[in-house]
Amino acid sequence: MASLHPFDPITPGEIQLAVRILESNFPGVKLRYKRIDLQEPIKQETIPYLEAERLGKPRPKKPTRLLSALFHRLDNGSFFKALLNADTKSAVTIKELPKDVQGPVDIDEMIELEQVCLDHPAVKAEIEKLKLPAGMTVCLDPWIYGTDDASESRRLVQCYMYIVATDHPQNNQYSLPCQFSPVFNAITHELLRMDYLPGGADAQTNSTQPWKPVPTVQYAHELLDEPLRTDLKPYIVQQPEGASFNVIGNAVSWQKWRFRVGFNNREGLVLHNLTYDGRNTFYRLSMSEMTVPYGDPRAPYHRKQAFDVGDVGFGITANQLSLGCDCLGHIKYFDGYRTDAQGTPIRLQNVICMHEQDNGLQHKHTNYRSGAATVVRNRQLVIQMICTVANYEYIFAFILDQAANIELEVRATGILSTVPFDNQNGQTVPWGTNVGPGVMAPNHQHLFSLRIDPALDGFKNTVYYEDSVAMPEDDNNPYHVGYVTEKTVLKESGSAFTSVDRHRVFKIRNDNIINSITHHPIAYKLQAMPSQMLLASPKSFGTKRAQFATRPIWVTKYQDDELYAAGEFTNQSKKSDGVEVWADRKDKVEDEDIVLWHSKLPPTSPVTRERKVANNTAAFGLTHNPRIEDFPVMPVERISVMLKPDGFFTKNPALDVPQSSQSFNQSIQHPEPAACCEPQDRNQVKL
Amino acid sequence: MASLHPFDPITPGEIQLAVRILESNFPGVKLRYKRIDLQEPIKQETIPYLEAERLGKPRPKKPTRLLSALFHRLDNGSFFKALLNADTKSAVTIKELPKDVQGPVDIDEMIELEQVCLDHPAVKAEIEKLKLPAGMTVCLDPWIYGTDDASESRRLVQCYMYIVATDHPQNNQYSLPCQFSPVFNAITHELLRMDYLPGGADAQTNSTQPWKPVPTVQYAHELLDEPLRTDLKPYIVQQPEGASFNVIGNAVSWQKWRFRVGFNNREGLVLHNLTYDGRNTFYRLSMSEMTVPYGDPRAPYHRKQAFDVGDVGFGITANQLSLGCDCLGHIKYFDGYRTDAQGTPIRLQNVICMHEQDNGLQHKHTNYRSGAATVVRNRQLVIQMICTVANYEYIFAFILDQAANIELEVRATGILSTVPFDNQNGQTVPWGTNVGPGVMAPNHQHLFSLRIDPALDGFKNTVYYEDSVAMPEDDNNPYHVGYVTEKTVLKESGSAFTSVDRHRVFKIRNDNIINSITHHPIAYKLQAMPSQMLLASPKSFGTKRAQFATRPIWVTKYQDDELYAAGEFTNQSKKSDGVEVWADRKDKVEDEDIVLWHSKLPPTSPVTRERKVANNTAAFGLTHNPRIEDFPVMPVERISVMLKPDGFFTKNPALDVPQSSQSFNQSIQHPEPAACCEPQDRNQVKL
């Protein structure tokens, strides 16, 4: 393992090592492994190593290589978390977790539960009642059981059932939801309850009736009624000299950027130790959490609140990507690893892809006197993962550019989570949209938490916000047109609000480094996206479990192990134990090692609350009231957040990007059709 | 002219025709031409012609081909507007305009004024005082004279002077602003006043002193001190079978879209008569106006408020584009025409470009049970113009996609408008940013008005907005998680506000056509961008002249000649005479021929005012507090507004786009470096 970098993802050898260590600690006991992964290295041990790398100095001792493991004892079902030292090949701590702590869903468990459900006599009996024609069967999505009972300690799963044809691997079951929904104990596999779903606009449910066949709304090309388009011509990205990036292991260099591609089972893609032109910018960037609460008020839908990072994991659900599908041009792939239930390492091939893209113009100016123009195109580096969480797909991309900007782009696609709804008679509901015969897609929200661990020219930074406000109408503003920026420093950990009407911008600065031209501390700004926060009532479990999603901006003082905005264990959590707790420590966060988290929130918030700000983090989101055009598969809905230098440099850092030129780009002019086809053009050139 | 389509831009022949008609109306009088352009055809005459085209029926009589002209009599300087009939080759109306109405700046006038200024003895005397070294000279930007006196009726121009080296056509004069600023009468060419600019943080001015040389902050590649990057590899877009679009004259077909590319001197690029799959969507889309007020409170900067559409024109300032610079791949260019002062047609070559681009994934879903994936890429059609208005560049692109979305993307680049500022001693101001030695860039706003003339399945439409609101905590919402959408129809012309905290979405629908699945009227939504509105006081001329920029959404009942949000004549206007006036008619706008205009405004606005809504238009904007990274040339600042089908179709309209495949895309995998370079990888694959 000597050659591993502290930020390198876990290796199969390390998974096997972890299993050996744990087995030696539980002689004669059979263990079921849920997750074995890299433990984020201790920051104070890691910084000296990174700084030596950055400055080309002799490397100090590497930080301790730590692994973490979640597993069950199969003899008594008890659930454990272990912290292991991979250097000494020994356990640091092994602790049994409280009975009501539920770990994330793992792949083997998911597959197992689907079978348990389909094999159960009561479920078979319900399926029987559907009297399905030949070629039709029933499948299910085992759903995370959103908490609605503070005393519940069993591991539960709610199975949403769908009718699906068997003649093609991409038949769209979400077009044909069933009206029964069994609930199982995920450990004992016993059926606890058979829920029945509302069939109409009210909460009334019915016993299972024979299925009245309706056509499936299909998305797969082979299953469409209509012919495919034939007039789309090939569009090929050629990079005859290869890509502009260099990769050694997980270390990437591109243009003036250097960083490390990280991967873990929970967050999936993580970027570590980003430097630009040899200067520190960010220590770690990650998608810390996402919650998806649904707005259909009726049981059992009130339990539909997924935490796709904490409950499942973007790492284990990341697509294994293939050439020509997900990116164009010259593609580099990265692998990851997970364990299966037996402790065998499973390779996750091509779960991260990296490629360059052209995003139009970077800057242009034409001197109108001389006609001379400077034109530079905007080459970008895209590091991307695509996660399939049952019905939905999320595309996460960190996009770096030549002007030292970092964009996090999230694209939502995939299939809406649907419910049965008798809409033949023109019936509608105000909390959802009819998307096909007998099927409705309820309103829901996607609330993300982007975790930003800054290191702007050092590891002690400060967060503040800047508002644009009109000047008073006094002698200093005689024409009433003046406006200025007002700064508010977040001195104590806490939260803050966005404000569109004040054009509020959040910035991270290093108070110890002053820009020689602007005379202000060097800084980056967060170009946040103001959006609606959690709509659920503060009284609801939905809100208690996702406090991070009630504020767009959080700032916390850095502590190891504080990575997940809604806390470590979100599955069936009764309340979150995350950023709101850390923020509440009221730590000093001015010129300290801080973390900024971005969620979304309404900008209309009392100034009094703004004053309470003191930690460092943020969330953002998407209120998704489905369009019928989002079915049966959703055109990407794109949201974007950017980190931009703001006084970090002394001029545009992309000035040295060469001129765009025909010899370089080899564009081609569209041939003019024969003159006979275009009387208008003939007219226009006639002088 | 028989072959001209009603929406075809003016031809050189028509410019010459207009000149002949006007000369015959002013025998023996010398005329100076400011603008000769196409007059938008009368809508009621045009619709039957378009519908016949769309339905493949015999064409009725074409609408009257109208031209408009602005010109001066050189004998007495009086200013006229004429409306001409190109079919009958005769004048419809010729009317003299009031003395205090100022037409837009034209190219000949601009060039002339620069010379007038540099030739004036008083200006020469000031330049003399600078005692410039050899190789340095002075140039100027003649600036629109923002009104600060309601009684002023002269045509004025304020000249901002800069020091510039003569050894290269791209020396950056904006890095070296002078402290004197002459004001001329643009008609008589007399010098009215020599203004002096503040030199420091207060309003105090100084007489012109010898220039203390400081280095120019350069943007041109040949003038940079640092070497250019050498590690950027070619990125070539190849379309071996050509583009997927077809063009005949200005008529374009691409995928299921059909539309006409329009061009005029004022708005530049305009899209007409957009249909998707044979269905009407929008009659006309255009950038109606933009105002750029500056936030520096000191004279004479309070007069810096440009209306780049009305004062100058995006058509006449549009760059003549060249292959390989501004777009990649397979490019189609369109020309335009303007007149010069003598009435000679001037060809504006390649002022609009059109090309396809790949924008990542359009939709994807992986069936996690079967592993089978459907992946479709997002091919887009970009119709673009790039306008240089003195220091700034604006890139306007209408982007159509295969899912029937229309995006308007605006990118701001170019050079900040700068002022002299003695910042050597660490001095700063709260209304601007030091961007170089002795130079400061003041805060300013860019407020746009996008004019949307909808025709969703017909020419009578309705605008409404939909808010996402939590359900009351009653028996219908027992778990307190429910939320619903609330619709508010705009029945009477007026304005409305955006609201992030209510996730307000504005929609346009056709009440006469009900979607068979959703059971709601077919509709498009406007994905607006909530942003800060005009910061200037309501008392200021800045606000009186730009009422459109005080509301994000306006809705008006369509009338011919109501195209420009701030009114027809913005140059030195005392108050606007535009959308706020038309909205104030309180016309019925439910199920009528309406126009929607989008600007930007704070979302925190009284509900009472929201109720006043009744016409159809909108503005949006960008509060630009300069970063030093925006100098000496600005990395693009991107803003985007989208029109998306929302219940217009019965499913995702892009389902029939073929699967993305390696055979089609020909992507290439990044070669792995020799194993010796990547111990980490070796480790990771060791099992």
Side-chain angles (χ1 to χ4, degrees), chain A residues 3-59:
Chain A
S3 64
L4 284 178
H5 187 279
F7 289 137
D8 278 337
I10 193 165
T11 67
E14 290 179 315
I15 291 173
Q16 292 163 318
L17 169 65
V19 169
R20 285 198 300 275
I21 297 170
L22 291 172
E23 282 173 350
S24 67
N25 278 271
F26 291 90
V29 178
K30 193 115 188 51
L31 304 180
R32 186 197 182 287
Y33 299 96
K34 179 170 282 297
R35 180 165 293 175
I36 299 174
D37 210 343
L38 182 72
Q39 171 84 2
E40 186 74 9
I42 292 160
K43 192 172 185 179
Q44 280 317 313
E45 292 184 10
T46 309
I47 286 174
Y49 188 84
L50 299 180
E51 285 297 89
E53 276 188 323
R54 184 175 69 90
L55 302 169
K57 295 194 176 145
R59 311 273 199 284

Side-chain angles (χ1 to χ4, degrees), chain B residues 394-413:
Chain B
Y394 298 98
I395 305 170
F396 296 99
F398 287 106
I399 304 173
L400 309 182
D401 75 16
Q402 298 161 307
N405 299 310
I406 301 173
E407 180 176 14
L408 171 67
E409 183 192 75
V410 183
R411 297 183 181 212
T413 178

Side-chain angles (χ1 to χ4, degrees), chain A residues 99-147:
Chain A
K99 279 274 162 287
D100 67 343
V101 166
Q102 302 298 340
V105 172
D106 64 69
I107 301 293
D108 293 2
E109 179 184 30
M110 183 88 130
I111 295 164
E112 188 178 50
L113 288 170
E114 286 187 39
Q115 206 49 55
V116 164
C117 177
L118 290 173
D119 291 346
H120 195 284
V123 175
K124 285 183 159 159
E126 292 296 325
I127 295 172
E128 198 48 49
K129 295 177 194 162
L130 292 172
K131 302 208 184 318
L132 295 178
M136 303 300 283
T137 185
V138 167
C139 66
L140 65 138
D141 285 3
W143 256 78
I144 292 296
Y145 191 93
T147 306

Side-chain angles (χ1 to χ4, degrees), chain A residues 264-280:
Chain A
N264 64 63
N265 285 209
R266 181 168 180 141
E267 299 161 296
L269 171 62
V270 172
L271 296 189
H272 277 115
N273 192 27
L274 294 101
T275 66
Y276 185 92
D277 205 10
R279 295 170 64 185
N280 285 313

